[in-house]
Amino acid sequence: MKLNLFVAWSAYALALASILLIALTIVAAGYGFSGWALVAALGAVVALGAAFGMMAGTVRRDHRRHYDTPHLF
C-alpha cells in the first residue's frame, strides 16, 4: 500500500510539473527564446510520460497480484 501511495502522489506531482512546464514553454516561445521553449516542452513530455508510466505500472502490478481494483489513494 505504501508503494501505491508513493506512486499516486509522485504521478500527481509530475502532472503538476508538466502543466508548469507547458506554461513555461508558452512564455519562452512568446518572448522568442526558442531553445528554452524546446527544453521546457521536452521536460513536459518526459514528466507526463513518467507520470503515466508510473500509474500504468502500478495498475499492472495490482492486476498481477489479483487485486480487484488498483488502490492508488
Side-chain angles (χ1 to χ4, degrees):
M1 199 60 158
K2 288 181 182 180
L3 176 66
N4 288 358
L5 282 174
F6 172 74
V7 167
W9 284 109
S10 297
Y12 180 68
L14 284 169
L16 289 178
S18 69
I19 292 171
L20 178 68
L21 285 168
I22 289 170
L24 183 62
T25 300
I26 293 169
V27 169
Y31 278 109
F33 296 111
S34 60
W36 285 111
L38 182 64
V39 169
L42 289 175
V45 169
V46 168
L48 202 56
F52 278 123
M54 289 171 61
M55 294 293 283
T58 301
V59 169
R60 181 177 166 91
R61 179 184 153 273
D62 284 349
H63 283 218
R64 281 183 144 182
R65 294 187 180 204
H66 302 293
Y67 294 141
D68 292 332
T69 57
H71 304 285
L72 294 174
F73 281 110

